[in-house]
Amino acid sequence: SIYWNPAGLATLKHAELTGMHMQWFQDVKYEFAAFAYPTEKHGTWGFAVSNLHTDHIDRRTEDTDTNIGQFSAASSAYWLSYAYPLTSALSIGANAKLIRQTIDSTDSNAYATDGGLLYATGWHDLKLGTSVQNIGTKVKFVNESDPLPLTYRLGASLPVLRKDLLLSSDLMIPRDHKMGVALGGEYTRRITRSLQAAIRSGYRSDSDVDGLKGVSAGGGLTFGRASFDFAWVPFGDLGNSYRYSLHIKFGPSGEGSEEKPVRLQKTASTSSFEPPLNF
């Protein structure tokens, strides 16, 4: 929720902690961690940190193709989040972000905000969400500067089949890329009182690489307070990415697991498979 729509934090009943590692193609790695703490009367606070990095990039000059050394590059972001339930059906949330990018010995900082709304319609547990991401300053390296990837999102989620299957969709409107649609589904099945399994699949239309693209698939296991999830997302000719995540709830064991508050607050279940690469 902190990344996709901070308003979803307002639905949490207990503190939660999550972490993810992604092995991307071409030795690019990505880590994300977040913590959220709901208060009794003053909304929910959250904090998150992410890091996208790669090492061993060959260094060359304009005069020769000969490798004269290596350097690294990284992009990090730090979120401070807050969400509040305006009514029993409508929640609002916002993020303040510090973004730091480094290429070799040169670095740049930027500042941004996100905002979102989440509305529970009361009709068959249908939820609607909207968010805007990356309203902020430009990222500047030496004399060159680029704006942040401003993005608008509209989403909906609907549980069906006795709430075992969650269907969701996103309409994505980025400033610097073509408009896209994301569709996703998550099927959960309780195996024992404390063990639950899930399978997931998604598709998004805005990928512009060649080959197998846009699809995603994965699954997960929830045991008591802890959940482990895995996802596979291909990027066409560029290669495949694999994501692993661990999620811990600090409330009473098993409480809220049937209602699945975290996944229902996402604007699209494909969000489970896609890391926030663009800060």
PDB file of all heavy atoms in Angstrom, residues 73 203 241 279:
ATOM      1  N   ALA A  73      26.050   1.714 -10.006  1.00  0.00           N
ATOM      2  CA  ALA A  73      24.949   2.676 -10.051  1.00  0.00           C
ATOM      3  C   ALA A  73      23.846   2.190  -9.124  1.00  0.00           C
ATOM      4  O   ALA A  73      23.626   0.980  -8.976  1.00  0.00           O
ATOM      5  CB  ALA A  73      24.424   2.846 -11.476  1.00  0.00           C
ATOM      6  N   TYR A 203      -1.471  -9.651 -15.877  1.00  0.00           N
ATOM      7  CA  TYR A 203      -1.058  -9.194 -17.206  1.00  0.00           C
ATOM      8  C   TYR A 203      -1.150  -7.673 -17.247  1.00  0.00           C
ATOM      9  O   TYR A 203      -2.109  -7.076 -16.730  1.00  0.00           O
ATOM     10  CB  TYR A 203      -1.955  -9.769 -18.308  1.00  0.00           C
ATOM     11  CG  TYR A 203      -1.639  -9.191 -19.669  1.00  0.00           C
ATOM     12  CD1 TYR A 203      -0.519  -9.622 -20.374  1.00  0.00           C
ATOM     13  CD2 TYR A 203      -2.428  -8.186 -20.219  1.00  0.00           C
ATOM     14  CE1 TYR A 203      -0.205  -9.083 -21.612  1.00  0.00           C
ATOM     15  CE2 TYR A 203      -2.120  -7.637 -21.459  1.00  0.00           C
ATOM     16  CZ  TYR A 203      -1.008  -8.084 -22.153  1.00  0.00           C
ATOM     17  OH  TYR A 203      -0.697  -7.527 -23.362  1.00  0.00           O
ATOM     18  N   SER A 241      12.705 -12.028 -14.400  1.00  0.00           N
ATOM     19  CA  SER A 241      12.949 -11.554 -13.047  1.00  0.00           C
ATOM     20  C   SER A 241      12.227 -12.471 -12.074  1.00  0.00           C
ATOM     21  O   SER A 241      11.174 -13.027 -12.385  1.00  0.00           O
ATOM     22  CB  SER A 241      12.476 -10.106 -12.870  1.00  0.00           C
ATOM     23  OG  SER A 241      11.061 -10.025 -12.937  1.00  0.00           O
ATOM     24  N   PHE A 279      10.814   5.224  -9.038  1.00  0.00           N
ATOM     25  CA  PHE A 279      10.481   5.846  -7.776  1.00  0.00           C
ATOM     26  C   PHE A 279       9.609   7.081  -7.982  1.00  0.00           C
ATOM     27  O   PHE A 279       9.013   7.557  -7.046  1.00  0.00           O
ATOM     28  CB  PHE A 279      11.748   6.255  -7.036  1.00  0.00           C
ATOM     29  CG  PHE A 279      12.675   5.096  -6.780  1.00  0.00           C
ATOM     30  CD1 PHE A 279      14.003   5.177  -7.082  1.00  0.00           C
ATOM     31  CD2 PHE A 279      12.180   3.925  -6.251  1.00  0.00           C
ATOM     32  CE1 PHE A 279      14.847   4.115  -6.850  1.00  0.00           C
ATOM     33  CE2 PHE A 279      13.005   2.855  -6.019  1.00  0.00           C
ATOM     34  CZ  PHE A 279      14.349   2.948  -6.312  1.00  0.00           C
TER      35      PHE A 279
END
